[in-house]
Amino acid sequence: MHALVIDDSKPVRSILTKVLNGLQFQCIEAQNGVEALDRLSHMPRPALITLNRHMPEMDGFELLGRIRRSQQYKNLPVVMISTDSTQASIEAAMRLGATDFIAKPFTPTELIARLNTLGLTQETSKKSEQQPEPRPSSSLDSHTNQHAQIDLEKKPIRLLLVDDSAAIRGILSKTLREIPGIKVVGTAADGEKALTFLEKEQVDIVLLDIEMPVMDGIETLRHIRKKYLRLPVVMFSSLTERGAKATLEALVAGANDYVAKPTTTDKDSIVARIESELVPKLRAVYRPPAKNKDRGNNTASTKSTIPSLRNKKSQNISVIVIGVSTGGPSALADILPHLTVADAPPIVVVQHMPKEFTGHLAERLSKMCRHRVSEAHHGQALKPEHIYLAPGGSHLEIQKHGKEAKLVLHNGPPENSCRPSADVLFRSAAKIFHSDTLALVLTGMGNDGLQGCKMISSEGGVIIAQDEPSSVVWGMPGHVVRAGLADIVLSLDRIGPDIAMRICRQQK
């Protein structure tokens, strides 16, 4: 009988394999969820899966959810083994379908005893081994095919470079072609040539300069969004005042992310910037072809909803706090105009963005909303019908001064490598407004906002998360959903109307 051992720690995998070999299991190892899906699609049906929770590329919770959505693996024993053994984590794992949960560190004796309790001995597992093993054709197979394509050496990201500088195109092409998993399939010196290329070739991501002759980056982006709604576009621009404003306009218009052009002419510095900043963002916004097969205009909204397990329909909302990162400007432009109703509660936003951009973002959003959107200032009073945006580089908190709530900026250490951090804002809101807090976690890389949502949830507040299909990157909202903290999960086009209805309901 076979076992699939999944853990990003090689020593832990070795220990588990040694113990399971002693129980007559033939073990196959994987170091993350993506690799595990690939292993699972090619190995005999396992009698057991051991699964770590926190792993790169795809964590244990997401993998467990995909396994349980498959009829073929619905009853397959899955034991989660993790250092995160809080009651909330254990309950979340069991809700997602874990058969058992073992806390790290564990002893071989403890592991064997738990497996015996579950009946996972050689005798009880022979039935599973004797079952016919058809090639996976279930929903898991489609997920496996999608995520196996993230194996970048097998299915490289097909990249189109668009920049009017031959020198920049040359450096980018040479550097990116040496990076596993990325294939530069074409270059273009202006927007018109880029659009012509897209009509003839399959492209996974467009890296787009802003200032170009013939057709600039903004106009090119608008043409791309009309015809290729879901095709990821990353802007490559300068952080000058003019460049920042243009980049912000592109992000609001639907660019997925941006990377600042190096200000130095030193080749080694440029290469380092490409490898450290550009490549991770390309991989983050990449949509596997299975998800990106309809590159045309498809505006059908996703009806993904997880209803609240708690009755919070009559919740009073005293403040709305929002955490967002990659894909945020466009998401905020979609949501905030819905929330500018009369007597709306104050809205406080953390958008991961450099200080050069946040002022322009506030100005741009203010033109789209009936209520004023402004960068937050230290000591500013929190007022209804106002939207406050955390300035780049500073944490933003809400503090009580007498009977008045005020905004406080500070330069405390980054949290989750972020400053401003959604966790900092969320915790401060929960302390003051308790169950009257509504938190919104939108598209973005990483897990910023997760810890703050735990506190908001414990105080009885409401948490809304954006769904995966409508997110540019389902990192921040995904962590909240997998932790079982989201009261409702909605597609982007449904979030604004939903919150607006909640505000109107409490005013009646």
Side-chain angles (χ1 to χ4, degrees):
M1 55 186 175
H2 290 80
L4 179 58
V5 177
I6 310 165
D7 200 295
D8 60 333
S9 168
K10 187 174 181 179
V12 172
R13 294 199 305 273
S14 298
I15 293 170
L16 288 167
T17 296
K18 184 176 181 180
V19 173
L20 293 174
N21 283 344
L23 298 175
Q24 306 305 309
F25 283 94
Q26 296 181 44
C27 295
I28 294 176
E29 299 181 7
Q31 61 184 345
N32 57 58
V34 173
E35 193 173 283
L37 287 173
D38 185 56
R39 299 280 192 274
L40 194 57
S41 67
H42 293 93
M43 68 182 288
R45 188 181 194 277
L48 169 68
I49 293 177
T50 66
L51 177 59
N52 186 24
R53 177 183 173 183
H54 295 294
M55 300 181 294
E57 294 195 61
M58 183 191 297
D59 69 13
F61 277 2
E62 182 175 355
L63 176 59
L64 179 58
R66 295 188 187 282
I67 291 172
R68 289 308 186 220
R69 286 196 290 271
S70 164
Q71 288 299 318
Q72 181 180 358
Y73 301 108
K74 187 175 182 180
N75 298 316
L76 180 65
V78 179
V79 177
M80 183 157 283
I81 304 176
S82 176
T83 55
D84 187 358
S85 57
T86 63
Q87 188 62 34
S89 294
I90 295 173
E91 290 176 356
M94 303 309 284
R95 281 198 302 271
L96 285 168
T99 311
D100 201 353
F101 190 105
I102 298 175
K104 293 180 183 178
F106 61 90
T107 64
T109 301
E110 179 186 3
L111 176 61
I112 293 170
R114 298 288 280 275
L115 295 179
N116 285 337
T117 301
L118 295 173
L120 295 173
T121 61
Q122 184 178 7
E123 289 74 20
T124 57
S125 299
K126 282 181 179 177
K127 295 180 181 179
S128 172
E129 190 84 340
Q130 292 169 356
Q131 290 179 357
E133 298 170 4
R135 285 292 302 153
S137 59
S138 60
S139 62
L140 181 67
D141 192 42
S142 64
H143 287 298
T144 299
N145 289 338
Q146 291 174 13
H147 287 276
Q149 293 179 59
I150 303 178
D151 186 336
L152 299 175
E153 293 185 354
K154 294 181 181 179
K155 298 289 184 181
I157 298 171
R158 296 170 59 85
L159 182 66
L160 171 62
L161 305 180
V162 188
D163 198 297
D164 63 325
S165 168
I168 292 292
R169 294 198 305 274
I171 294 174
L172 282 169
S173 297
K174 187 175 186 301
T175 304
L176 292 171
R177 281 173 177 148
E178 294 175 356
I179 293 176
I182 295 178
K183 181 179 180 180
V184 178
V185 295
T187 63
D190 60 62
E192 281 192 357
K193 292 178 181 177
L195 295 173
T196 300
F197 187 91
L198 287 174
E199 290 177 357
K200 299 176 181 178
E201 301 290 340
Q202 178 69 36
V203 173
D204 295 322
I205 301 177
V206 177
L207 183 63
L208 184 60
D209 186 22
I210 290 182
E211 297 183 356
M212 299 181 294
V214 186
M215 182 185 292
D216 66 18
I218 303 294
E219 186 178 353
T220 304
L221 174 64
R222 293 193 178 108
H223 282 280
I224 290 174
R225 281 292 165 259
K226 287 178 182 177
K227 193 169 185 179
Y228 313 108
L229 184 64
R230 304 286 286 172
L231 177 62
V233 178
V234 176
M235 307 307 295
F236 196 51
S237 62
S238 68
L239 273 182
T240 62
E241 180 74 14
R242 180 179 173 183
K245 194 168 185 178
T247 302
L248 196 282
E249 184 178 350
L251 291 170
V252 172
N256 297 75
D257 209 341
Y258 69 94
V259 175
K261 281 187 176 180
T263 55
T264 178
T265 57
D266 179 66
K267 184 179 178 181
D268 291 338
S269 298
I270 295 174
V271 170
R273 173 73 65 86
I274 292 170
E275 293 178 345
S276 64
E277 295 187 27
L278 176 59
V279 172
K281 290 190 176 185
L282 293 177
R283 288 177 173 163
V285 303
Y286 169 60
R287 294 180 181 274
K291 289 185 179 181
N292 197 34
K293 59 186 177 181
D294 179 9
R295 298 164 71 232
N297 203 354
N298 178 10
T299 57
S301 63
T302 304
K303 302 301 180 184
S304 172
T305 304
I306 297 177
S308 173
L309 298 178
R310 301 178 289 274
N311 182 15
K312 296 182 179 178
K313 290 185 178 180
S314 59
Q315 180 217 21
N316 183 61
I317 304 171
S318 295
V319 69
I320 298 172
V321 288
I322 301 175
V324 62
S325 184
T326 310
S330 180
L332 292 172
D334 187 285
I335 293 169
L336 291 181
H338 289 282
L339 309 185
T340 55
V341 297
D343 299 319
I347 300 171
V348 189
V349 182
V350 162
Q351 159 74 65
H352 298 159
M353 186 170 276
K355 61 183 179 180
E356 292 88 352
F357 285 12
T358 46
H360 294 303
L361 177 59
E363 181 182 343
R364 186 76 170 77
L365 292 172
S366 196
K367 294 177 180 177
M368 305 172 70
C369 300
R370 290 194 297 270
H371 296 168
R372 183 168 179 248
V373 183
S374 61
E375 270 194 305
H377 298 289
H378 183 75
Q380 193 172 12
L382 200 64
K383 296 181 179 179
E385 299 186 2
H386 280 69
I387 302 171
Y388 306 92
L389 181 67
S394 298
H395 285 309
L396 176 59
E397 293 188 12
I398 306 171
Q399 293 183 4
K400 206 69 174 288
H401 293 264
K403 294 183 178 180
E404 193 173 42
K406 291 189 176 183
L407 299 174
V408 174
L409 299 175
H410 65 85
N411 294 320
E415 294 196 21
N416 312 302
S417 303
C418 301
R419 190 172 63 203
S421 165
D423 275 333
V424 172
L425 172 63
F426 286 8
R427 287 196 303 265
S428 69
K431 289 177 183 177
I432 294 175
F433 297 105
H434 308 289
S435 63
D436 289 355
T437 305
L438 188 151
L440 177 55
V441 185
L442 300 175
T443 174
M445 285 190 287
N447 65 351
D448 189 29
L450 175 62
Q451 299 304 318
C453 281
K454 290 179 180 179
M455 189 166 178
I456 290 172
S457 180
S458 68
E459 292 287 343
V462 166
I463 298 166
I464 299 175
Q466 185 175 351
D467 72 353
E468 183 174 9
S470 69
S471 296
V472 173
V473 179
W474 206 55
M476 291 166 59
H479 278 89
V480 170
V481 172
R482 290 192 293 270
L485 296 170
D487 292 289
I488 188 165
V489 182
L490 295 173
S491 58
L492 179 62
D493 63 329
R494 298 181 65 195
I495 292 173
D498 179 89
I499 298 177
M501 285 182 64
R502 292 169 185 263
I503 296 171
C504 293
R505 191 184 298 129
Q506 79 175 19
Q507 294 174 352
K508 292 180 180 179

